[in-house]
Amino acid sequence: MAFISKLAALFFVLALLQQAAADESFEAIEAEYIALAHAVDPVAAARARGLPPDDWPTVDREELMAHGEKAASLLRRLDQTGDGDAVDRGVVAALLRRMKTQSEHDVARIPFTGDWGFHLAPVFAISQSRLRTPEEADAAIRRIRRIPAYFDANIANLRRGLATGFVAHHDPLANTVRQIRDQIVDDPGDSPLFTPFERLAADDSARRAAARQAVAEAIDAYRDLLRFLETDYAPLARTAPGLRALPGGEAAYRDAARFHTTRRDLSPEEIHGAGLIEVARIRAAMDEVIVESGFGGDFEAFLHFLRTDPQFYADSPGDLIEKASTLSKALDAILPEYFRTLPRLPYGVSPVPAAIAPGYTTARYSQGDPEQGRAGTYLVNTYRLDQRPLYELPALSAHEAVPGHHLQIALAQELEDVAPYRRTYYATAFGEGWALYAERLAGEAGLYKTPYEQFGALSYEMWRACRLVADTGLHWFGWSREEAEACFRKNTALSEHNIQTEVTRYIGWPGQALGYKIGEITILDLRAEAEEALGAAFDIRDFHDVVLAEGATPLDVLERRVRDWIAEQAPNEAGRAP
């Protein structure tokens, strides 16, 4: 009897604990997550207090481990609660899961990807700052003064990578070394870190001098970083491109794939298979366009024609920027036909900074800041114009500007009555999937005027399909670089330089390339569901508003939201909308 009584008491206590967990509110967990996120990211913390940022993200291993353990605890508690907004819950869960897995795999040991990294973050953050007040200028100076300590902390992580065998591949490393070398200038006034201080009032000589001194110290930190990478790190860089070859790499890649696709139900093998199916489908469509164009040769001859004929290339960097700007305006004009809600924040078109252009991707969107009054920027790479074909520019512009990244990200930034993390959350599969879907929308709107531009759009879609094949090939199946490049070389019109640059990026940023096609396929499937269910009542503008109304979300959250909307809009048994 005594044993039974003790057992009953134990069950009673467990029941109370379970009830307490169930009674815990989402708002309490959310508040703890926000505090945790602010501990990791001083920029978000400063903005929450209405202050200009003056520091860099935390990269100390002990702190990151503590943050990861806290994230894991919050995830367990979140799983036991039942209240809270579904989108908020989904986003917080995704953010906590990422923090947890990054800590578990100690990914801070490789803090660069080949076209991005801790060494470029200061350049972008400072050079794009608008110093409107003395307080903002002083904060920017303090932030520059903290670059040496920030670099030292990252070097400590890199050294731990050397000690544990978790090291970067030599190709992304080579790009990173070039980028660092380009930041080392003799005159601090020539550094992009000094750019915002050039606009200070002429009589503010003291702050200008302080900024020059801070920039000079930062340049010395770049010199120290370069010396470490070239002398200590480069000789031990890995030669196998795949993450799976590293200690713990298999689990790290699986989690990276789950994070970037936001699909925990897809294995690397399934993603690879989906890529092969898409490659075959798009290749058939490309063959049809070649026939329609009247070209007399085969696929390989057509690719050679596109890659070598001067008519398909800009005459100068300014010419390429002008053409991208003209296309962007044409894309602006189609938006009312496809969207009811448009962002207020404008965007512009600019070249990728020359200091990072050689190893940088073809183009990228750099988000603006409504609070600072800074427009978004569609960055176009004007390095090596003979590798930047004009027949791809319409699809590229739709992806990076509108209706792609700028439209989606600016709408998210302008969300009202949501927590700040909802405005800044970026899910690769949602954001990149939407931008790839935007390329398809541009085609529906008639932006691709010639067979060459139609082929360029298909080539871009093939590019993303090959990413599913190449990324999983590299990091899961142990492919060589040459095997990963083969899909692009055989099936796309991408230039040789772009192919090499892109594969270097996939080597250095495992899993990120998977989000594009997985996200686009999900959005297209949801649109097909809505069109079939709603019939003549389907309005593309309403569908797009539903997809974008809550900002970026994990794909499972998006699927639930769209299907709930379809159920609300679908005709009832009497044939009338409810």
Side-chain angles (χ1 to χ4, degrees):
M1 289 293 295
F3 173 75
I4 294 175
S5 298
K6 289 180 180 179
L7 190 60
L10 176 60
F11 282 139
F12 178 71
V13 171
L14 289 175
L16 288 177
L17 290 174
Q18 290 175 346
Q19 183 61 45
D23 290 342
E24 183 177 24
S25 69
F26 169 75
E27 287 74 14
I29 296 172
E30 179 186 46
E32 289 189 51
Y33 160 71
I34 292 173
L36 178 61
H38 287 176
V40 174
D41 183 4
V43 176
R47 288 188 172 180
R49 300 194 302 270
L51 300 173
D54 65 356
D55 208 345
W56 305 103
T58 298
V59 296
D60 175 78
R61 174 57 180 158
E62 296 303 319
E63 290 186 49
L64 292 180
M65 287 180 62
H67 297 328
E69 291 169 1
K70 177 65 174 179
S73 172
L74 290 175
L75 266 176
R76 290 191 294 269
R77 289 163 55 190
L78 182 61
D79 288 342
Q80 296 171 344
T81 63
D83 68 336
D85 176 79
V87 177
D88 288 347
R89 287 179 60 91
V91 171
V92 167
L95 290 166
L96 287 171
R97 195 173 293 115
R98 180 58 168 168
M99 197 179 297
K100 169 180 173 287
T101 58
Q102 284 185 323
S103 173
E104 289 174 345
H105 302 308
D106 196 7
V107 297
R109 289 175 290 176
I110 306 179
F112 53 79
T113 65
D115 73 347
W116 186 250
F118 71 96
H119 59 292
L120 291 180
V123 177
F124 271 79
I126 300 298
S127 64
Q128 294 186 1
S129 297
R130 298 183 62 183
L131 308 181
R132 298 165 297 183
T133 66
E135 290 76 18
E136 289 178 344
D138 290 340
I141 293 171
R142 289 195 300 275
R143 205 175 187 196
I144 295 171
R145 285 175 176 158
R146 287 169 174 159
I147 289 175
Y150 179 52
F151 283 9
D152 286 344
N154 277 282
I155 289 174
N157 289 336
L158 286 161
R159 289 190 184 280
R160 191 171 65 259
L162 290 175
T164 56
F166 199 89
V167 294
H169 183 263
H170 52 71
D171 288 344
L173 174 62
N175 278 350
T176 299
V177 166
R178 283 194 295 268
Q179 293 157 359
I180 292 170
R181 190 178 290 118
D182 287 339
Q183 306 311 315
I184 299 173
V185 294
D186 294 330
D187 184 351
D190 294 334
S191 169
L193 294 172
F194 190 75
T195 299
F197 299 97
E198 294 174 347
R199 296 187 287 269
L200 292 180
D203 60 354
D204 201 351
S205 58
R207 279 195 178 86
R208 199 184 303 271
R212 284 184 64 89
Q213 179 58 36
V215 171
E217 294 170 3
I219 293 171
D220 285 339
Y222 273 105
R223 290 191 179 97
D224 292 340
L225 175 60
L226 180 64
R227 189 178 305 112
F228 163 74
L229 289 177
E230 290 184 325
T231 303
D232 297 352
Y233 196 89
L236 298 174
R238 76 178 192 262
T239 56
L243 184 63
R244 203 174 184 183
L246 298 181
E250 179 175 324
Y253 182 68
R254 196 191 302 275
D255 280 335
R258 288 171 174 171
F259 170 73
H260 287 294
T261 64
T262 69
R263 293 287 300 272
R264 300 179 60 77
D265 58 328
L266 290 178
S267 68
E269 292 90 350
E270 289 172 316
I271 293 171
H272 188 85
L276 292 174
I277 292 171
E278 282 292 279
V279 167
R281 178 188 65 79
I282 300 165
R283 177 61 182 267
M286 297 170 89
D287 289 336
E288 291 178 6
V289 171
I290 294 174
V291 172
E292 293 170 3
S293 74
F295 184 79
D298 60 11
F299 188 87
E300 288 72 21
F302 191 68
L303 291 186
H304 180 75
F305 168 60
L306 292 178
R307 287 169 174 161
T308 58
D309 195 300
Q311 68 172 303
F312 298 125
Y313 298 88
D315 297 326
S316 67
D319 182 33
L320 183 59
I321 295 297
E322 181 181 354
K323 285 180 167 59
S325 300
T326 300
L327 282 166
S328 297
K329 288 302 178 186
L331 286 161
D332 286 340
I334 72 171
L335 296 182
E337 183 180 353
Y338 291 91
F339 301 90
R340 295 192 190 279
T341 306
L342 297 174
R344 298 183 297 273
L345 189 72
Y347 72 95
V349 183
S350 297
V352 171
I356 63 172
Y360 206 69
T361 191
T362 307
R364 182 163 287 168
Y365 174 69
S366 177
Q367 68 184 49
D369 189 324
E371 294 181 8
Q372 285 200 350
R374 188 178 74 245
T377 306
Y378 165 26
L379 290 164
V380 179
N381 199 330
T382 58
Y383 174 77
R384 292 195 64 179
L385 291 174
D386 62 338
Q387 305 288 295
R388 314 292 176 193
L390 298 175
Y391 52 79
E392 294 175 346
L393 196 59
L396 180 66
S397 300
H399 184 104
E400 301 295 346
V402 296
H405 283 318
H406 173 71
L407 182 124
Q408 183 264 309
I409 292 173
L411 283 174
Q413 290 175 305
E414 295 170 7
L415 287 174
E416 298 179 354
D417 301 321
V418 298
Y421 65 82
R422 286 278 306 282
R423 299 190 188 97
T424 58
Y425 173 63
Y426 189 77
T428 305
F430 185 98
E432 299 298 349
W434 172 263
L436 182 51
Y437 171 76
E439 296 177 26
R440 172 104 35 132
L441 278 185
E444 293 178 16
L447 189 74
Y448 310 138
K449 304 295 186 185
T450 69
Y452 309 119
E453 291 178 345
Q454 293 168 15
F455 190 89
L458 286 170
S459 181
Y460 260 37
E461 188 179 5
M462 178 68 85
W463 175 18
R464 282 41 171 265
C466 283
R467 283 176 170 177
L468 299 182
V469 177
D471 198 272
T472 51
L474 286 164
H475 296 294
W476 194 255
F477 295 108
W479 283 9
S480 68
R481 180 189 181 97
E482 290 71 25
E483 288 175 301
E485 291 175 352
C487 185
F488 304 96
R489 196 169 287 117
K490 293 177 181 177
N491 297 292
T492 78
L494 290 173
S495 67
E496 188 63 26
H497 175 79
N498 281 344
I499 291 171
Q500 293 175 4
T501 298
E502 286 297 313
V503 172
T504 296
R505 171 182 160 190
Y506 311 149
I507 292 171
W509 201 354
Q512 192 271 347
L514 305 177
Y516 297 70
K517 253 297 169 184
I518 298 299
E520 183 219 25
I521 290 170
T522 300
I523 295 171
L524 287 172
D525 286 348
L526 290 171
R527 176 173 163 177
E529 284 185 38
E531 289 173 332
E532 181 178 358
L534 301 183
F538 176 80
D539 190 316
I540 191 67
R541 296 170 297 176
D542 293 334
F543 172 75
H544 290 157
D545 275 7
V546 170
V547 171
L548 299 177
E550 297 286 355
T553 67
L555 292 183
D556 61 336
V557 175
L558 175 65
E559 288 173 333
R560 288 195 297 270
R561 290 190 59 255
V562 172
R563 286 169 182 155
D564 287 347
W565 170 76
I566 292 172
E568 293 169 1
Q569 301 301 313
N572 59 23
E573 292 181 359
R576 301 186 303 273

